[in-house]
Each structure stands twice: as C-alpha cells, then as structure tokens.
Amino acid sequence: MAGSISTSRLLSSPSYSGSDSLSFLATQKPFRCYPFQSRSPSRSPFPSFLIRSGIRELRERIDSVKNTQKITEAMKLVAAARVRRAQEAVIKCRPFNETLVGILHSINQSAQLEDIDFPLSIIRPVKRVALVVVTGDKGLCGGFNNSVIKKASLRIQELKQRGIDCVVISVGKKGNSYFSRRDEIDVDKCIQGGGVFPTVKEAQVIADDVFSLFVSEEVDKVELVYTKFVSLVKSDPVIHTLLPLSMKGESCDANGECVDAMEDEMFRLTSKDGKLAVERTRIEIEKPEISPLMQFEQDPVQILDAMMPLYLNSQILRALQESLASELASRMSAMSNATDNAVELKKNLTTAYNRARQAKITGELLEIVAGVEALRES
C-alpha cells in the first residue's frame, strides 16, 4: 500500500533499531497527503488519501477538527432558527410594499395630468447616481457578500463608462470595509446594523440620507443594490430604482439614453447581424386605476408628502429584510457543508491515527520478539 511503513523491511535492514523506527515516524512532515491507489479495480478506496504524520500531531488535529465541527454545527442551528423568522417577515411585507408602490404611481400620474410637480417624482437628466449597497455584518456565509459587492462594482463601472458619477451609501460592515479601501469610489456614508433584525429606525437613517441627497439635487437617481430572497437555497443580487418615483425606463442621461440597470427593466434577446443582442424596452406595469370621478379631499401633493416617508422606509426596510434572510440562508448552507466536511476529515484522520498507532504497536512487539530470540541464541 502506498505510504505504508514495512516493518519487516526495517527489521531486515542492518542499521535498524527500535529507536530509529520511532524517529522515522516522528520525523515525517505532518499533514502530507498522498494519493491512494487500490490494487483491485473493484475495491473502493477509503479513505481517498493517506495522511502521514506523527501520532501526537494526528491526535491534536482530530481534537481541533472536533472543536471546529461543534462551532459550525452551532452556527448552522442558530442560522436555521433565525431564517424562519426572517423569511416570514419578507413574505408578509411584500404585498404591502407592492400595493403601496402601485397607489403612489397612480396618484403621481394623476398629479402630473393636473400639472402638479412633486419634488421626489421629478425626472432630471441623470448626471450622478447614489447606490445604496446592502451587505452583511458578518462573514462565514458563502459568497453572499461577494456577490452583492461584485454587483455594485459592475454597476459603478457601467455608469462610469457612460460618463455618470456615482456615490455609495454602504450598509453593513463587510461593504464598509470594502468601499473604504477603494479611493476611486466616492462613499457618502457607512452605516452598520445595530440589532439582530432590521428595524424601522435603521431604515429611517438611510431614508433621511437618501431624501436629502435627492431633494438637494446632489444626485439625480437613487438605486438599491441588495440580495433578493428567493428560497432557502437561492438568492439573487438585484438593483432596484428607489427615486425618482417614475415608471421604469424613464430615467435618461443628458443624451437621452436610458440609464436604468438591465435587471431593473424588461429586456429581450434578439438577433442582430447574425449575433445575439439585447434590446431595452419599457415595462408596462398593471397598476390600480384611480377613478376620474374620485376627488381628493386634500391636495395630491400633500398626500404624496405624507406617503413618501412611508414609501422610502418600507422599501429600504424590505431591502434590509430580504438581505438578512438571504444572508442567514447562505450561512446555514455554508455551515452545513462545513460540518459535513469536518465529519469526513475527522473520519480520515481517525483512520490514519489508528493505522499509525497499530504500526507503532507492531514495531514494539517485533522488537520484543527479536530481543527474546537474540537472548535465546546467546
């Protein structure tokens, strides 16, 4: 067997002694792995690799793997207990948010027909965009944070290629540590989560900053970059337009070209010159129609002024909840895989430890037998 120690070969060697055999085992480089080749093609090798190391090092590493397994299993159980509550919060808030957005679009459309201007619905030529990037506060959750940061980086690069400036509002420790090290990215504010689950107070802090940037015309468009929760095994990073309050596809730059992200509007693949191309089209959203006979008791602008804070808070809170649910689901999956790997590694290390211990005992027995035979011959 490859990697095994032949005791008979050591005994037949003229320079063999018991202390030499033990020193030979102890001087092997620890934790080296050698490929296992089975002599019989029908025999399944187990383990798939052999670990050559000293007995003490193997024992220490087995204990280390056991402790790691306890930690990953505990983190998996904690994430599984929290993801259920986060999932329920996401599912419950979606109908309210969708209905609120539809009503606001209808009221805004009625106000535009009456030539009433509302500050948060004014469509200006986009020269600067604010990106609210939502990441996690902790790691050990697979590729969750990397996917969101990569999505935001690609969006920033796309806007810069169009000649549009970007400013980032980072939410989460992982995003803060990434964007703070990038001198080429303008960061307006870094916000850290304060509790176990997102609250209205945390969303209010982000909404106030977004509102001040848009009303003061420092930015012409605000986008949310977060991870949308699909299921316990799937989550997708998405881009969602927060301001201005307008239909998708209406935000354009100074040249009249649409600056919405591909994920934020409807597009379809077509054939152009024998190659696949992407065509941008506006989304026709079925929104609740307001009866023309309906009369507002208050001015539509006052109604929008009262509802816009609720709109901003609800949309940002929804993004925080979706991101948290995706983070917990990703952490639960990552810790489950880590626990399975720890179990498999512990099994392989235990097999290697037992083989090394058996080889040591066999060597000592052979030394005793050789000593007895030498005494008899003398």
Side-chain angles (χ1 to χ4, degrees), residues 1 4-17 39 366:
M1 184 179 296
S4 62
I5 303 173
S6 177
T7 309
S8 58
R9 183 181 302 176
L10 290 176
L11 288 174
S12 61
S13 176
S15 60
Y16 168 77
S17 66
R39 295 181 179 178
L366 290 176

Side-chain angles (χ1 to χ4, degrees), residues 21-320:
S21 63
L22 295 180
S23 63
F24 174 77
L25 289 174
T27 54
Q28 297 303 304
K29 293 183 179 181
F31 314 138
R32 291 187 60 185
C33 301
Y34 294 85
F36 182 90
Q37 297 180 353
S38 178
R39 295 181 179 178
S40 174
S42 62
R43 181 181 176 184
S44 60
F46 180 84
S48 58
F49 57 88
L50 293 177
I51 303 173
R52 293 181 60 177
S53 176
I55 295 180
R56 180 180 300 176
E57 288 82 1
L58 285 172
R59 188 186 300 115
E60 292 176 355
R61 193 175 183 189
I62 290 174
D63 295 338
S64 177
V65 171
K66 286 182 180 179
N67 295 332
T68 304
Q69 179 186 350
K70 293 178 182 178
I71 295 173
T72 56
E73 192 170 1
M75 294 182 65
K76 171 189 172 182
L77 295 177
V78 171
R82 292 177 57 191
V83 72
R84 171 60 66 181
R85 181 178 172 185
Q87 183 180 8
E88 291 178 355
V90 169
I91 294 175
K92 289 180 180 179
C93 76
R94 281 178 179 174
F96 171 77
N97 289 323
E98 294 173 358
T99 304
L100 178 62
V101 171
I103 293 175
L104 283 175
H105 277 298
S106 299
I107 297 177
N108 183 37
Q109 186 179 8
S110 301
Q112 290 178 357
L113 294 177
E114 299 178 5
D115 295 332
I116 299 176
D117 293 333
F118 180 62
L120 297 181
S121 63
I122 297 176
I123 302 175
R124 302 187 293 263
V126 179
K127 300 179 181 178
R128 198 181 191 203
V129 177
L131 293 179
V132 182
V133 184
V134 182
T135 58
D137 291 333
K138 299 178 181 179
L140 297 178
C141 51
F144 167 76
N145 293 310
N146 291 334
S147 62
V148 180
I149 293 174
K150 183 179 180 181
K151 190 78 170 181
S153 301
L154 292 177
R155 180 58 175 164
I156 293 172
Q157 183 180 1
E158 178 187 356
L159 292 173
K160 286 186 177 180
Q161 290 176 355
R162 293 169 173 261
I164 301 174
D165 296 332
C166 293
V167 59
V168 173
I169 302 174
S170 178
V171 182
K173 292 182 180 180
K174 293 299 179 180
N176 297 346
S177 61
Y178 175 82
F179 290 110
S180 61
R181 298 193 303 266
R182 299 297 185 275
D183 297 333
E184 68 276 8
I185 299 177
D186 185 11
V187 180
D188 178 73
K189 183 179 291 186
C190 293
I191 304 173
Q192 296 183 2
V196 178
F197 289 93
T199 60
V200 179
K201 186 177 180 180
E202 297 175 6
Q204 183 66 45
V205 174
I206 306 172
D208 292 341
D209 191 22
V210 168
F211 180 82
S212 62
L213 287 175
F214 189 82
V215 173
S216 63
E217 298 186 3
E218 295 183 25
V219 298
D220 304 309
K221 193 171 187 286
V222 180
E223 295 179 348
L224 278 171
V225 184
Y226 65 98
T227 306
K228 185 177 181 180
F229 178 79
V230 180
S231 64
L232 292 177
V233 295
K234 183 180 179 181
S235 56
D236 299 324
V238 295
I239 300 176
H240 173 67
T241 300
L242 188 62
L243 292 174
L245 185 64
S246 60
M247 297 296 294
K248 296 178 182 179
E250 295 181 354
S251 298
C252 301
D253 57 7
N255 299 325
E257 297 181 358
C258 177
V259 297
D260 286 335
M262 297 299 296
E263 296 81 3
D264 198 32
E265 62 183 357
M266 183 64 68
F267 66 95
R268 59 189 177 89
L269 292 176
T270 61
S271 178
K272 183 177 181 181
D273 297 333
K275 298 181 180 180
L276 288 178
V278 175
E279 265 189 19
R280 294 171 178 264
T281 57
R282 289 181 51 186
I283 289 182
E284 298 296 335
I285 302 178
E286 296 183 1
K287 51 184 180 299
E289 296 290 341
I290 296 181
S291 174
L293 303 177
M294 181 180 296
Q295 296 182 355
F296 296 101
E297 184 176 348
Q298 295 179 343
D299 187 66
V301 176
Q302 296 181 358
I303 298 177
L304 289 174
D305 284 335
M307 296 183 68
M308 280 307 295
L310 179 61
Y311 164 75
L312 290 176
N313 289 347
S314 62
Q315 292 297 315
I316 294 174
L317 182 60
R318 175 186 177 180
L320 296 177

